[in-house]
Amino acid sequence: EFSAVGYFFARELLKVLNVPIGIIHSSWGGTPAEAWTSHDTLQSEADLKPILESETKLLSSYPRMFQDFEQQFAHWRQDSEKTEADGVPVPPPPTIPDDPRRNPWRPSGLFNAMIMPLTLYAIRGAIWYQGESNAERPAQYRKLFPAMIRDWRRAWGGSDFPFLFVQLANWGIYSPGSNWPELREAQLMTLSLPKTGMAVAIDIGDGSDIHPKNKQEVGHRLSLAAQAIAYERDVIYSGPIYESMTTEGEKIRLRFKHVYGGLVAKGGEAATLSGFQIAGEDHKFVAAEAKIHGDSVVVGSETVAHPLAVRYAWAMNPECNLYNRAGLPASPFRTDDWPEPALER
């Protein structure tokens, strides 16, 4: 009944720190981040106000929905009595509309019920694994997720306690048209907040199961971030993170942070890098050839003479194998800021 990621995370810390680790498990599966964010924060951010406006409309429409149900039920009762008298099976009754006040997706509802009561406890940090339920609104998540983190920190007295999170794992078919890459990008951007860390899981998901079973590696990667950020231990805790690019003729050179001894293509010495795409002035991305040059990656394609941008692992369930020598995967990224349909919603 407990969080497997939380368990493995705590077990790893126990091994390396040799002190008892307490974990408070407070979660509700399949819920959006706004449910875990206070009303004051949602109200104070202009980009988040539409969440509350939608909630207000839903609450105001519920009495009418229930009234319609009562009318349908009255008709059903009459019809069912007649069909029963005729010896005919009674039709199913109309469904009672869900009360939006009891919906776990309700903005601030889970914050009020499952976070605020915990603020009486002293904590060292928090770990977070969520994002799927906000994937249709990735642009909004750029503001919502950092706002939620700041919100929790205020609730615990204003300290910047470490907040460590898991980037969305790979799942589903290989589909470049999904919103998940933009959601992962929003999570990556959240590292701009102090004392945050991100466990990349793009390589340990399950294409056929949105709940991948390899919780042990997720817990391990989160524990590395905790060791470095919360306990200030000298450990390698992150895979490569895109830092900058330069154009070199028909190719683009990419540079990364968190290289830790060098970049590698997972899959053995003969492995080639996969998951890179490149585009020119037409903004159309095509599969690219990518090669490791020391601490950088050089990307190009015979079909793109004047490259402008590169994307890596930019799909819901991408092919990708860029790691550092510590065995940690690179985060998906893009070098461009071209408008995406998902970001305009």
Side-chain angles (χ1 to χ4, degrees):
E1 297 299 319
F2 197 77
S3 161
V5 168
Y7 166 76
F8 287 121
F9 168 80
R11 190 182 70 171
E12 288 288 315
L13 289 183
L14 175 63
K15 288 179 181 178
V16 298
L17 301 176
N18 197 31
V19 295
I21 303 296
I23 298 288
I24 301 173
H25 175 199
S26 183
S27 70
W28 193 307
T31 51
E34 60 263 28
W36 300 92
T37 307
S38 75
H39 184 276
D40 288 346
T41 291
L42 296 177
Q43 183 67 42
S44 64
E45 298 265 355
D47 292 324
L48 305 182
K49 282 185 178 180
I51 295 173
L52 295 179
E53 292 169 357
S54 296
E55 170 74 359
T56 299
K57 291 179 181 178
L58 183 60
L59 290 172
S60 63
S61 67
Y62 181 69
R64 177 62 183 174
M65 292 169 59
F66 195 83
Q67 186 179 26
D68 291 343
F69 160 75
E70 289 181 315
Q71 293 175 353
Q72 294 169 11
F73 185 83
H75 290 309
W76 170 83
R77 187 170 184 175
Q78 292 177 351
D79 293 342
S80 64
E81 289 175 351
K82 183 178 185 305
T83 55
E84 186 175 26
D86 294 340
V88 178
V90 175
T95 302
I96 300 176
D98 293 331
D99 187 339
R101 296 171 299 177
R102 297 174 56 84
N103 189 339
W105 280 51
R106 186 178 186 183
S108 307
L110 299 180
F111 175 85
N112 294 335
M114 300 179 68
I115 296 301
M116 273 307 295
L118 303 179
T119 58
L120 297 176
Y121 289 93
I123 64 169
R124 189 64 183 263
I127 58 175
W128 172 265
Y129 194 166
Q130 185 271 346
E132 295 89 343
S133 295
N134 288 98
E136 292 301 314
R137 294 173 281 132
Q140 187 183 69
Y141 202 76
R142 293 182 182 185
K143 298 292 182 71
L144 175 58
F145 189 33
M148 191 205 78
I149 294 173
R150 291 191 294 265
D151 199 17
W152 286 25
R153 287 172 169 173
R154 281 192 297 269
W156 259 278
S159 66
D160 283 345
F161 62 74
F163 194 101
L164 317 174
F165 54 92
V166 183
Q167 193 181 52
L168 283 188
N170 53 305
W171 173 66
I173 61 173
Y174 180 86
S175 171
S178 129
N179 297 334
W180 282 41
E182 288 79 50
L183 197 286
R184 294 188 186 110
E185 182 181 52
Q187 293 172 317
L188 179 63
M189 290 176 171
T190 304
L191 291 177
S192 62
L193 289 182
K195 292 188 177 180
T196 52
M198 182 177 74
V200 176
I202 198 67
D203 60 330
I204 50 177
D206 186 331
S208 61
D209 190 346
I210 200 170
H211 298 289
K213 294 179 174 60
N214 189 355
K215 311 296 187 185
Q216 183 166 245
E217 183 60 23
V218 176
H220 170 66
R221 292 176 185 179
L222 284 171
S223 76
L224 293 175
Q227 290 175 57
I229 298 169
Y231 299 101
E232 299 180 348
R233 294 170 63 92
D234 186 16
V235 299
I236 299 171
Y237 70 95
S238 173
I241 301 291
Y242 166 73
E243 187 171 37
S244 64
M245 63 162 273
T246 54
T247 303
E248 300 177 357
E250 297 180 353
K251 298 183 184 297
I252 289 178
R253 183 180 296 273
L254 306 168
R255 293 179 175 82
F256 300 84
K257 298 182 289 186
H258 301 293
V259 173
Y260 298 120
L263 301 171
V264 297
K266 189 173 183 179
E269 301 219 349
T272 58
L273 286 177
S274 60
F276 285 88
Q277 296 175 310
I278 196 166
E281 296 174 351
D282 61 0
H283 291 199
K284 294 181 179 179
F285 283 90
V286 298
E289 179 182 292
K291 293 184 178 180
I292 295 171
H293 285 223
D295 290 348
S296 63
V297 173
V298 176
V299 184
S301 170
E302 294 181 353
T303 64
V304 182
H306 303 288
L308 295 179
V310 172
R311 294 181 176 183
Y312 171 71
W314 202 257
M316 192 169 186
N317 187 10
E319 297 177 6
C320 51
N321 63 344
L322 178 62
Y323 288 69
N324 58 26
R325 291 195 179 275
L328 295 173
S331 168
F333 67 90
R334 61 173 173 167
T335 66
D336 63 278
D337 59 358
W338 300 337
E340 288 278 295
L343 294 178
E344 295 173 353
R345 293 181 181 180

